[in-house]
Amino acid sequence: MSDMKDTMLIRSEGISKTILHGGTGDIPKLITGTKVTFHFRTQLCDDERTVIDDSRMVGTPMEIVIGNMFKLDIWETLLASMRIGEVAEFWCDTIHTGVYPLVSKSMRRIAEGKDPVEWQVHTCGMANMFAYHSLGYDDLDELMKEPKPLYFVLDLLKVQQPSEYNRESWALNDEERLKVVPVLHGQGNKLFKQGRYQEATQKYKEALICIKNVQTKEKAWDVPWLKLEKMANTLTLNYCQCLLRMEEYYEVIEHTTDIINQHPGVVKAYYLRGKAHKEVWNEAEARQDFTKVLDLDPSMKKAVKKELAVLSMRMEEKNQEDKNKYKGMF
């Protein structure tokens, strides 16, 4: 078996492969929709071979669906050269590793139980990712500033053809994804009406991931992109309505502000942001948002009047409370 240790070059430039443990059978065919399950370890090419990420430490293997625009498409190339049960080390040059920090960030957030959707909701495609100053992890920020060649040690566990597994929404192609959106949207609305806000947010988020995945392939601000953006904004605002009921006011302010910065004419965004400001006693901001709602849509007069009356009452109560609090102090 010693010849297995020899380094081979894969068809792509800037990759070399060393088999550490031979696999069995033929090399599986990876077609669009094939689900591949594998463990991975990512290491720097320094003397210590510093480990950046290791799925075994997290305890769950990685799953990707071929042809599904997984952000690190080089992994598809590497996996396509492997047999089941094979463990191989790949050296990949910088041209293949530039986006790794972004992928790593989302994988880490999943592992930490945080929602990877967050950066998909907040950013328009990859372009904005590069504008952000920090990914929230020092080692990834380093790599982002100065991309380096990396070692990927992959251990291929399982390959399932499209007919052999239940395809979840992230495993759909674009056309299927967009068909799923109104279904998820409807389910979310139904759950919202039943007062099951937490479950409704999951449906809205799933629909948002579908839209954002398709949207990253469109040219920003072109007609198809804008259509998707409109759908995404509607879902985000429904999501914010759930958050209001769940008393997550600061998150509502954050999401609605994102929408307003990009699209200053969305009435509902100002209305929901005004409501959130009202709940956290930001009087001036709330009044400003409600005034903007009236500017954009005078037919909202009745609703806004009601909100402003509640705001005045709120502020009155708070002032009274503060007075009582301080009265006892002097």
Side-chain angles (χ1 to χ4, degrees):
M1 291 292 276
S2 65
D3 61 341
M4 301 291 285
K5 288 248 180 269
D6 292 346
T7 298
M8 310 181 297
L9 288 165
I10 296 195
R11 284 187 303 279
S12 220
E13 239 171 275
I15 303 174
S16 60
K17 171 181 179 179
T18 310
I19 295 176
L20 305 178
H21 182 294
T24 51
D26 294 333
I27 293 182
K29 285 218 175 342
L30 303 187
I31 58 168
T32 297
T34 304
K35 187 194 235 179
V36 188
T37 307
F38 60 100
H39 271 299
F40 73 94
R41 189 168 69 242
T42 307
Q43 293 170 292
L44 292 176
C45 300
D46 56 6
D47 295 338
E48 290 79 42
R49 289 286 189 98
T50 307
V51 175
I52 302 174
D53 292 301
D54 185 343
S55 61
R56 286 193 189 278
M57 300 294 286
V58 178
T60 45
M62 183 73 193
E63 287 180 349
I64 63 174
V65 174
I66 299 298
N68 201 43
M69 286 292 288
F70 177 68
K71 298 284 192 285
L72 197 66
D73 49 5
I74 188 61
W75 276 6
E76 293 191 7
T77 309
L78 307 182
L79 291 161
S81 76
M82 298 177 72
R83 293 177 162 81
I84 305 287
E86 180 180 314
V87 181
E89 176 183 88
F90 299 89
W91 172 88
C92 292
D93 204 356
T94 325
I95 49 166
H96 302 298
T97 61
V99 294
Y100 184 78
L102 303 179
V103 176
S104 172
K105 174 189 174 169
S106 68
M107 293 190 298
R108 288 181 189 188
R109 288 182 71 83
I110 297 170
E112 290 163 9
K114 294 189 182 117
D115 207 312
V117 184
E118 283 173 31
W119 59 260
Q120 287 179 298
V121 173
H122 282 324
T123 55
C124 300
M126 294 297 255
N128 280 14
M129 291 300 296
F130 294 99
Y132 277 75
H133 303 305
S134 170
L135 294 169
Y137 301 94
D138 293 346
D139 57 344
L140 299 183
D141 285 341
E142 273 306 293
L143 265 185
M144 199 73 190
K145 276 207 281 285
E146 196 190 326
K148 297 182 175 80
L150 295 171
Y151 281 111
F152 296 118
V153 179
L154 305 181
D155 176 356
L156 182 56
L157 304 173
K158 194 162 67 170
V159 172
Q160 293 164 285
Q161 295 310 333
S163 56
E164 298 171 346
Y165 68 96
N166 175 20
R167 294 165 73 182
E168 290 115 19
S169 58
W170 51 265
L172 307 174
N173 66 31
D174 288 357
E175 206 178 312
E176 292 171 315
R177 276 202 182 109
L178 291 180
K179 278 194 189 125
V180 147
V181 168
V183 178
L184 290 167
H185 194 162
Q187 289 171 337
N189 290 355
K190 205 170 156 183
L191 288 163
F192 179 82
K193 285 198 181 88
Q194 293 169 351
R196 292 153 70 182
Y197 306 121
Q198 189 67 52
E199 292 164 75
T201 60
Q202 290 315 112
K203 296 292 177 191
Y204 294 143
K205 268 187 184 174
E206 235 181 290
L208 272 165
I209 296 176
C210 288
I211 292 173
K212 289 288 171 188
N213 268 321
V214 178
Q215 196 186 24
T216 51
K217 298 171 213 173
E218 299 291 353
K219 193 168 182 296
W221 301 98
D222 274 5
V223 171
W225 186 91
L226 279 168
K227 271 190 177 151
L228 292 166
E229 182 77 350
K230 205 172 168 187
M231 287 160 71
N233 286 345
T234 304
L235 281 159
T236 304
L237 292 170
N238 285 10
Y239 176 64
C240 285
Q241 279 183 295
C242 293
L243 292 175
L244 275 175
R245 299 293 174 91
M246 290 153 70
E247 302 184 2
E248 301 285 354
Y249 305 123
Y250 290 104
E251 205 186 323
V252 173
I253 292 168
E254 195 184 325
H255 287 302
T256 46
T257 302
D258 273 356
I259 291 178
I260 288 163
N261 287 343
Q262 294 257 2
H263 310 278
V266 181
V267 181
K268 195 173 171 185
Y270 290 102
Y271 185 66
L272 294 179
R273 188 171 73 173
K275 281 171 85 86
H277 278 309
K278 178 192 80 183
E279 294 295 342
V280 292
W281 299 290
N282 295 342
E283 186 178 14
E285 290 87 343
R287 285 189 187 283
Q288 213 173 345
D289 279 342
F290 289 134
T291 306
K292 187 75 183 168
V293 170
L294 286 181
D295 284 351
L296 291 167
D297 183 0
S299 74
M300 293 281 287
K301 196 169 174 180
K302 208 171 156 184
V304 167
K305 216 172 151 180
K306 194 173 135 190
E307 289 296 337
L308 288 171
V310 175
L311 176 66
S312 299
M313 207 166 72
R314 270 274 151 94
M315 296 314 295
E316 193 96 345
E317 279 170 16
K318 188 177 188 313
N319 293 338
Q320 198 50 54
E321 243 171 65
D322 289 349
K323 263 191 204 135
N324 294 343
K325 209 167 25 193
Y326 297 125
K327 208 161 56 189
M329 287 171 72
F330 302 109

